[in-house]
Amino acid sequence: LALHLMGTQFARTGIVVQTGIATDAPMERFWKVLVDEGRIVSLLDFDNRQRIFPGVHSKMKFCLLTLREQNSQPSSEVQCGFFLRKIEDARDPSRVYRLQIRDLATINPNTKQPPVCRNKRDLDLLLGVQTRFPVLARDSESSWRARAWVALTSEGASKHFVRQIDLPLDGTWDESMYYTVGRTRFAPLMEAKQIHQFNPAFGTYEGVTGRDWDNGSPKAVEPGSLGTSLAYPRYWASEVFVEDFYLSKNHTHQWIPVIRDVTNATNERTAIACLLPRVGMVQPLNGIAVADAQEALWLVAVLNTFILDYCARQKVPGSHLNVTIFAQLPVPPKQGGWAERIVIAEALELSYTVAGLQHLAQEVGYSGPPFPWNADRRFWLRAELDALYFHLYGIERDDVDYIM
């Protein structure tokens, strides 16, 4: 209707609409048309916590979107503001800023959707990083360094899910939670809440209440308490079914990088990734395709740093770090030399805490046992990786303080 009105008597039209028109995946093609035609004048995003609309849920996000007529002078910049709460915020120069249209192709080259930066400093920092480093996968190029894919969904695969009480009797377990009865094997199906940064055994369903089991709420695992085993899953599926799924994704490695899909830009950490053995996975846990073990360790290392997390926060508009956002994250290529050696060695030590990742370790030249969970040492290893990646990303010291 707004576009129709501009074609009749109005040069500009302002509308109140959900912010998802500019940020959500289903709307990316429509938004890209508006960008390419230079139709966007301003986008001011609000949440409803101050009950601007009393009858609407407080977490609903809406925006004031102003569009111009197609035949008029195309927009070269857009007035933007995100996470505004009061009408007065739209007049606050510290909250509202100018975004150059051409920069959308640098920040999100596949979709040209806007970042959700809270101020001009956030925008300038993000744009600087995106200018210096390539995204993980461009739609316009056939090659890519990493590509996320959606794991098994309850909607499409739940008929294959098996509870422990329904598994055949007299089987045996291994440390990766595979269950074997004769020649039949059942693969564990790991969920997003069961992993955390560099931690493939973060949550377990062992000993949870029936209500927590039904709600998909595993309990936290004391770090290192499971030895070199994975945590107890909620479901299993036949290994044949899981392997057919991996075949559909062309995944041949005995390990898999994973990242949580469900998250939020207001959480303590937005990007949460780790490495898992070749087990089954259930959405919202996404798998990641990479070339080899070195690329896997480099990628998981950077995904769990403060600098990448900061960039991800500027791109996550709601509660999903989906495959589209993932593809447009700025990640430095492997450097070679001392930096790469440090990252691979330290990421391996942080990741290889479960026996099922022995193939990953062997592929990077390590034949020893899994590393013990030493909280103090892990803290310093992660601090070193954060410092190294701040350096590799070219972030100045005062900006490091701001990001942290």
Side-chain angles (χ1 to χ4, degrees), residues 122 126 138 147 272 274 277 314 336 345 372 377 391-392 398:
D122 287 337
L126 177 65
R138 282 180 176 267
R147 188 176 292 278
I272 296 175
C274 77
Q314 313 309 317
R377 178 164 175 78
H391 172 73
L392 294 179
D398 61 335

Side-chain angles (χ1 to χ4, degrees), residues 29-261:
R29 292 178 63 186
F30 174 71
W31 180 261
K32 196 171 183 179
V33 170
L34 296 181
V35 171
D36 291 342
E37 293 182 354
R39 305 286 286 274
I40 309 158
V41 177
S42 66
L43 172 65
L44 302 177
D45 160 69
F46 292 80
D47 64 38
N48 199 38
R49 296 184 187 184
Q50 298 293 327
R51 295 294 186 177
I52 297 174
F53 295 104
V56 178
H57 195 282
S58 62
K59 292 186 178 180
M60 179 64 69
K61 293 175 69 66
F62 66 93
C63 68
L64 307 180
L65 178 65
T66 305
L67 304 174
R68 72 169 72 242
E69 185 180 11
Q70 184 175 8
N71 295 328
S72 62
Q73 181 66 30
S75 301
S76 61
E77 62 181 18
V78 179
Q79 184 185 44
C80 288
F82 287 89
F83 297 96
L84 308 178
R85 293 189 176 178
K86 306 185 299 293
I87 298 300
E88 292 76 18
D89 291 344
R91 295 188 288 269
D92 185 347
S94 68
R95 303 291 303 277
V96 177
Y97 51 88
R98 297 282 179 178
L99 170 63
Q100 298 298 311
I101 290 289
R102 64 176 181 272
D103 292 336
L104 291 173
T106 301
I107 295 171
N108 285 319
N110 297 340
T111 64
K112 296 184 181 178
Q113 291 175 305
V116 291
C117 302
R118 289 165 171 78
N119 54 56
K120 186 64 162 57
R121 185 173 186 178
D122 287 337
L123 175 63
D124 290 343
L125 280 170
L126 177 65
L127 183 59
V129 169
Q130 298 274 174
T131 300
R132 291 191 295 273
F133 298 104
V135 297
L136 287 169
R138 282 180 176 267
D139 288 348
S140 60
E141 299 175 1
S142 59
S143 61
W144 43 267
R145 289 181 294 144
R147 188 176 292 278
W149 41 262
V150 176
L152 295 167
T153 63
S154 296
E155 181 181 2
S158 60
K159 64 182 179 181
H160 298 278
F161 294 1
V162 181
R163 299 174 301 172
Q164 187 206 0
I165 60 174
D166 297 322
L167 290 170
L169 298 177
D170 302 322
T172 58
W173 305 90
D174 67 14
E175 290 184 295
S176 291
M177 288 292 121
Y178 271 83
Y179 185 72
T180 304
V181 181
R183 295 183 178 181
T184 302
R185 296 187 79 204
F186 293 87
L189 302 180
M190 294 300 171
E191 302 175 12
K193 294 178 182 178
Q194 293 191 266
I195 68 102
H196 211 275
Q197 293 183 323
F198 295 115
N199 187 352
F202 177 72
T204 181
Y205 281 98
E206 186 174 18
V208 302
T209 65
R211 181 175 182 177
D212 285 343
W213 191 94
D214 290 338
N215 292 335
S217 300
K219 66 180 182 180
V221 173
E222 181 68 25
S225 63
L226 299 180
T228 59
S229 296
L230 278 183
Y232 197 86
R234 184 161 53 148
Y235 297 109
W236 286 258
S238 74
E239 184 181 39
V240 173
F241 173 71
V242 171
E243 286 301 316
D244 285 344
F245 178 77
Y246 273 129
L247 182 64
S248 72
K249 302 297 182 182
N250 296 315
H251 183 76
T252 59
H253 302 298
Q254 294 302 307
W255 42 263
I256 177 71
V258 297
I259 186 168
R260 286 189 185 184
D261 181 308

Side-chain angles (χ1 to χ4, degrees), residues 3-19:
L3 297 179
H4 171 72
L5 288 174
M6 285 186 295
T8 57
Q9 55 181 313
F10 300 104
R12 293 191 180 188
T13 297
I15 55 176
V16 179
V17 66
Q18 290 187 21
T19 304

